[in-house]
Amino acid sequence: MKLYLKIWRQSDTSSKGKMIDYEIDEVSEHMSFLEMLDLLNESLIQKKERVIEFDHDCREGICGQCGVMIDGRAHGPLKNTTTCQLHMRSFKDGDTIYIEPFRAKAFPVLRDLKIDRSAFDAIIESGGFIGVSTGQAPEANTIPISYETAEASFDAAACIGCGACVATCKNASAALFTGAKITHLALLPQGQVEASKRVLTMVNQMDAEGFGNCSDTRACEIECPQGISILSIAKMNAEYTKALIFKK
């Protein structure tokens, strides 16, 4: 395939970026989207031009490092698919593809398509953990958890922290990400001891990082590659209200 690419180029956070046009030939439909960018970078290296920088790690759809806006959609046209798992068979010969970084005040662009997701790290550090005694793991059967509860917790824990929810939200809200992390632990007995403190600190940190408020448009749920439900946001709001009521 031959493709026409319009890619955001920005040298650093303080610089003004712009869209640059590229043409690329010999793109196989079996390539992933990132492999296509690799092919483009190989041609730029041969021309002694600066390569296009983008985030990636496992390239297996589980680490959350990749993520760009493709034709205005986070991770591209397919549902429940990360950028690295998107293949070029989703496009046609001669297509023009617009490629930009995730946009949000809390996700400053570092260079080209690379963004700083450390705001997510700050939210996790504020309360995304449980305090337990170290030592040998307890026997699992001593902490009975229903199948339905375990599955709901696991569904929330599936969040990979890619940031697509923030990038696609008109308010740049991190409610789905934060809600998923809070829900994961709030459903389990191990998370009950610190539940009130956790939800208060994580929500406050989310606000401090500059994320917007949720207005329930559900765009985050639609674009989430892991299909995290907005019920996680409802659970977070319920836990937050409960924590405020019983706060000492």
Side-chain angles (χ1 to χ4, degrees):
M1 291 190 295
K2 181 176 183 178
L3 299 171
Y4 301 92
L5 308 176
K6 294 182 179 291
I7 303 178
W8 183 261
R9 302 303 307 266
Q10 184 173 336
S11 59
D12 55 52
T13 302
S14 59
S15 299
K16 184 177 181 180
K18 62 180 180 179
M19 301 295 283
I20 301 295
D21 294 340
Y22 297 95
E23 292 183 14
I24 183 170
D25 292 306
E26 301 180 359
V27 176
S28 169
E29 65 176 6
H30 303 298
M31 287 181 175
S32 72
F33 198 85
L34 296 189
E35 287 172 335
M36 181 273 294
L37 291 179
D38 289 337
L39 183 64
L40 176 59
N41 276 339
E42 288 176 7
S43 68
L44 294 179
I45 291 172
Q46 292 175 356
K47 297 175 184 176
K48 300 188 183 303
E49 297 180 18
R50 184 171 71 80
V51 298
I52 298 161
E53 296 193 28
F54 55 91
D55 290 315
H56 67 94
D57 191 7
C58 73
R59 299 202 180 197
E60 295 180 351
I62 57 176
C63 74
Q65 288 299 302
C66 71
V68 293
M69 301 296 289
I70 302 170
D71 289 337
R73 292 193 63 178
H75 292 299
L78 299 185
K79 187 176 182 180
N80 302 140
T81 304
T82 56
T83 299
C84 65
Q85 293 290 285
L86 177 68
H87 286 80
M88 300 312 296
R89 52 182 169 267
S90 298
F91 304 92
K92 301 187 299 293
D93 183 43
D95 275 356
T96 298
I97 306 175
Y98 290 78
I99 309 171
E100 303 175 74
F102 284 169
R103 306 284 189 177
K105 177 183 177 182
F107 288 164
V109 176
L110 297 175
R111 177 176 282 190
D112 299 335
L113 306 176
K114 290 175 63 70
I115 61 170
D116 183 354
R117 293 183 178 87
S118 59
F120 272 7
D121 296 333
I123 294 173
I124 292 295
E125 290 172 6
S126 69
F129 54 85
I130 59 172
V132 295
S133 300
T134 58
Q136 187 173 355
E139 166 58 42
N141 291 328
T142 63
I143 310 176
I145 302 173
S146 70
Y147 172 81
E148 292 76 16
T149 299
E151 285 297 297
S153 177
F154 187 82
D155 287 344
C159 170
I160 58 176
C162 66
C165 53
V166 175
T168 198
C169 177
K170 65 180 181 180
N171 303 325
S173 171
L176 190 67
F177 167 80
T178 309
K181 301 306 179 183
I182 289 171
T183 298
H184 163 218
L185 295 175
L187 291 173
L188 300 176
Q190 296 92 332
Q192 295 302 312
V193 176
E194 300 158 302
S196 295
K197 179 181 178 181
R198 176 183 304 108
V199 69
L200 292 175
T201 56
M202 292 186 75
V203 170
N204 289 341
Q205 189 64 45
M206 175 179 66
D207 293 339
E209 294 298 326
F211 293 105
N213 295 321
C214 173
S215 52
D216 200 25
T217 63
R218 303 187 69 168
C220 55
E221 181 183 63
I222 293 172
E223 299 297 347
C224 174
Q226 297 298 316
I228 304 297
S229 171
I230 61 167
L231 291 177
S232 292
I233 300 178
K235 178 65 173 176
M236 175 181 68
N237 291 338
E239 290 289 321
Y240 188 78
T241 300
K242 182 171 67 173
L244 289 178
I245 292 174
F246 293 102
K247 184 179 179 181
K248 295 181 180 179

